[in-house]
Amino acid sequence: MRRLLLTVAATFAFAPAAHGATGTFGLTSAPDFVDPALSYTVEGWSVLYATHTGLLAHAHEPGDAGTALVPGAAEALPEVSEDGLTYTLRLREGLRYSNGREVRARDFEHAIKRVLNLRSGGAPFFLVIRGAGAYLRRGRERGDVSGIVADDAARTVRITLKRRDGSFPNLLATPFAALVPPGTPFRNLTRRPPPGVGPYRIARSGRRGLVLRRNEHFAIPGFPQAALDAIAVRYRARHGSVDVHIDPPPRRLRTGDRYVERDSLSSYYFFLDHRQRPFRNPDVRRAVNLAVDKRAVRRAFGGLFTPGCTFLPPGIPGYQARECPYGDPNGAPQVERARELVRAAGAAGAGVRVYGNRERTSLSLARILTRTLRSIGLRPRLRIVPTASYFTVVGNRRTRAHAGIFNWFADYVHPANFLFLVDGDTIQPTNNQNVGNVDDPELNALVDRVKESPVQSVAEPAAAADRRIVDEAHVVPLGYRRLALLFSARVPPQCRTEHLVYGVDLARLCVA
């Protein structure tokens, strides 16, 4: 056996305890779900980071240090077999859920079975576990995932994969792999989220927000305790009305030391469904790439956006700045050339269903896409759905969305976390993350190489995959978002707790 070599954060910053104090956290939009098996938005994960911990975790640190993997519910990072297929972890002794129930090794398999059984957006990640696919095909909740073997007495979990996956340890740190008690139902528990292991517990979940309360049962060495007794999470909150807000404020509030702005590990793009006309034709997809005005996209973000022509964002291994085959991302679009491609493809006048949601920036982007498609001779019809259900709607095969806006924020710093979005193996009938149904054999092979490569050699196949995505116009890459946090005056500097993966670290938020 050999110890998995990963960077570990050496120190943790601790927020001062403020017993009796209550903080407020603002979200422009409600999370998609508040269930660790289902949630897959920044809004949901920013909450679950404080309430549901897995065997591994991301360090509670700002900046790049927050991307480091550290032991969570496990005592140490996993031991990995010589063939790279088997991971062994040992659970910490004395761990308890927020309801006081003892945490056991077998709970990990139950958490993964919920992800698989509910056809979560995270389900494709865990199909690499031996027996996970067979469990899904059998369709029995209480079935066995043969690749997961737990020993409650020894507090060990052994996970065996079907093939090497260099990104697998990172998956163990996502909310999908967060431990939940045995018997947690196989249904959406957003209204009554299951108990978890974390500094806070979810005391109430409703349409307007959440209430988090200090988890008195939480104690993991090196992890911050809850700095507040409670946090009120408010949906559709106004900037300036809460202690921290993770969406960009109006320009008049973007001043002073309470405003924090930084680059994010994100990729924004338009998806085009490869299974439907007219986007089966790569020339029609190239036409959209030529015609989109990325200067308008930047304006839609109030300037907090960097136009680009790659699928992988800066900061992710494999990103390479290159001359864009569709023109300067900061320049004028090539609409006439795009029209010619559409006419030559025989697609002029084709009807297209464009999907967007009600969140202000996303709605603006959907309208930009609609105008772009109309300008090149297609007949788009825009359909707007509620923000909280948008990804579920466009990820359902029955919706048959031709095109729409999609974005991705890194779950962890590995190119596989972006490339799975265009991997043919990811396609599924519901909660589909490959919304464009991209299934290119050459690209699939490159993505497999990325998954199987060790971290130190992953950049080369990732860069090749990125070039293939752009050159074949599998998506319409728009660029990369800058994130902004606005803190209230009562949050001292040491408690302004940004996190590169989760947006904000609520465990360390405190107020004066």
Side-chain angles (χ1 to χ4, degrees):
M1 306 289 281
R2 59 184 173 82
R3 182 65 61 189
L4 185 68
L5 296 176
L6 293 168
T7 303
V8 182
T11 60
F12 291 86
F14 293 90
H19 289 279
T22 297
T24 52
F25 175 42
L27 300 171
T28 299
S29 304
D32 53 348
F33 302 98
V34 193
D35 182 326
L38 291 169
S39 180
Y40 216 166
T41 60
V42 173
E43 290 83 358
W45 279 28
S46 60
V47 171
L48 294 171
Y49 183 47
T51 60
H52 289 76
T53 305
L55 294 170
L56 302 183
H58 286 105
H60 285 264
E61 292 283 354
D64 291 342
T67 67
L69 287 184
V70 298
E75 289 182 340
L77 296 174
E79 291 184 343
V80 186
S81 61
E82 291 296 334
D83 61 7
L85 296 179
T86 301
Y87 293 72
T88 303
L89 303 101
R90 191 164 189 258
L91 198 67
R92 295 180 189 269
E93 188 173 12
L95 277 186
R96 295 193 175 275
Y97 289 107
S98 57
N99 63 355
R101 186 170 182 171
E102 182 183 1
V103 179
R104 297 192 175 185
R106 73 179 77 167
D107 299 350
F108 173 77
E109 182 176 3
H110 186 74
I112 299 305
K113 288 198 292 188
R114 288 191 74 237
V115 173
L116 295 169
N117 192 274
L118 293 172
R119 303 274 181 179
S120 161
F125 291 145
F126 297 97
L127 291 177
V128 72
I129 298 175
R130 186 173 296 167
Y135 169 80
L136 265 181
R137 289 191 296 273
R138 287 193 298 267
R140 296 197 303 269
E141 290 182 1
R142 297 186 179 181
D144 178 55
V145 178
S146 61
I148 302 176
V149 178
D151 185 332
D152 287 341
R155 307 197 312 279
T156 58
V157 178
R158 189 173 73 248
I159 309 162
T160 303
L161 310 184
K162 295 185 296 184
R163 61 179 183 275
R164 283 179 176 267
D165 186 342
S167 68
F168 186 74
N170 296 279
L171 300 180
L172 298 178
T174 65
F176 294 126
L179 300 173
V180 293
T184 300
F186 288 76
R187 63 173 185 272
N188 178 11
L189 297 179
T190 290
R191 289 300 177 89
R192 297 190 67 181
V197 177
Y200 286 98
R201 62 182 175 87
I202 302 174
R204 188 167 68 249
S205 176
R207 292 182 178 179
R208 296 184 178 182
L210 302 165
V211 174
L212 308 182
R213 296 198 182 279
R214 187 194 304 269
N215 176 10
E216 302 294 345
H217 299 286
F218 179 73
I220 292 182
F223 276 57
Q225 301 293 313
L228 299 168
D229 276 356
I231 298 176
V233 182
R234 299 175 184 171
Y235 305 159
R236 291 170 286 280
R238 297 194 314 274
H239 289 90
S241 66
V242 291
D243 290 315
V244 58
H245 203 301
I246 63 169
D247 287 302
R251 288 186 181 275
R252 61 183 173 79
L253 297 178
R254 297 181 193 177
T255 59
D257 65 347
R258 293 191 292 112
Y259 174 68
V260 178
E261 185 181 309
R262 62 170 173 78
D263 291 326
S264 68
L265 298 173
S266 66
S267 181
Y268 276 72
Y269 58 98
F270 293 141
F271 71 85
L272 307 172
D273 189 0
H274 289 43
R275 292 184 174 181
Q276 300 186 78
R277 293 187 63 253
F279 299 124
R280 291 175 186 165
N281 189 320
D283 281 341
V284 178
R285 302 195 302 265
R286 291 187 179 100
V288 183
N289 273 275
L290 287 165
V292 67
D293 189 345
K294 296 179 184 179
R295 299 169 303 177
V297 172
R298 187 175 187 274
R299 289 194 295 270
F301 282 94
L304 295 173
F305 192 79
T306 303
C309 190
T310 64
F311 187 67
L312 295 176
I316 294 293
Y319 166 81
Q320 291 181 351
R322 57 180 293 218
E323 184 176 352
C324 183
Y326 310 110
D328 181 1
N330 291 293
Q334 302 178 55
V335 178
E336 188 54 45
R337 183 180 167 197
R339 285 199 198 103
E340 292 173 2
L341 283 176
V342 170
R343 285 195 294 266
V352 176
R353 291 182 296 275
V354 179
Y355 275 76
N357 65 67
R358 294 171 185 163
E359 191 272 324
R360 183 180 60 186
T361 303
S362 294
L363 180 59
S364 296
L365 296 180
R367 288 171 173 163
I368 289 171
L369 175 57
T370 303
R371 291 196 300 270
T372 300
L373 297 175
R374 186 176 296 116
S375 74
I376 62 177
L378 302 177
R379 289 190 302 108
R381 180 179 178 185
L382 179 58
R383 300 183 179 183
I384 302 300
V385 300
T387 303
S389 60
Y390 175 72
F391 294 105
T392 304
V393 171
V394 297
N396 191 312
R397 182 177 295 169
R398 294 181 179 180
T399 302
R400 292 180 60 80
H402 282 98
I405 176 66
F406 210 82
N407 64 270
W408 197 258
F409 286 79
D411 306 330
Y412 45 84
V413 183
H414 194 288
N417 186 233
F418 285 85
L419 295 176
F420 91 100
L421 297 163
V422 288
D423 182 3
D425 290 341
T426 303
I427 298 171
Q428 58 183 29
T430 61
N431 289 311
N432 183 19
Q433 302 292 342
N434 184 348
V435 285
N437 294 301
V438 180
D439 195 3
D440 173 351
E442 183 173 330
L443 177 60
N444 293 344
L446 286 168
V447 175
D448 286 343
R449 281 184 59 197
V450 169
K451 291 177 181 177
E452 295 169 5
S453 297
V455 174
Q456 60 269 26
S457 60
V458 78
E460 184 271 326
D466 196 47
R467 288 193 297 272
R468 179 79 181 176
I469 293 165
V470 174
D471 292 346
E472 294 300 313
H474 285 317
V475 302
V476 183
L478 301 176
Y480 333 105
R481 185 170 180 175
R482 290 184 60 78
L483 289 185
L485 300 178
L486 182 66
F487 294 92
S488 74
R490 69 180 194 146
V491 179
Q494 68 270 25
C495 297
R496 294 171 189 168
T497 55
E498 60 156 327
H499 196 277
L500 194 58
V501 177
Y502 299 100
V504 64
D505 187 350
L506 293 178
R508 297 174 57 235
L509 178 68
C510 70
V511 296

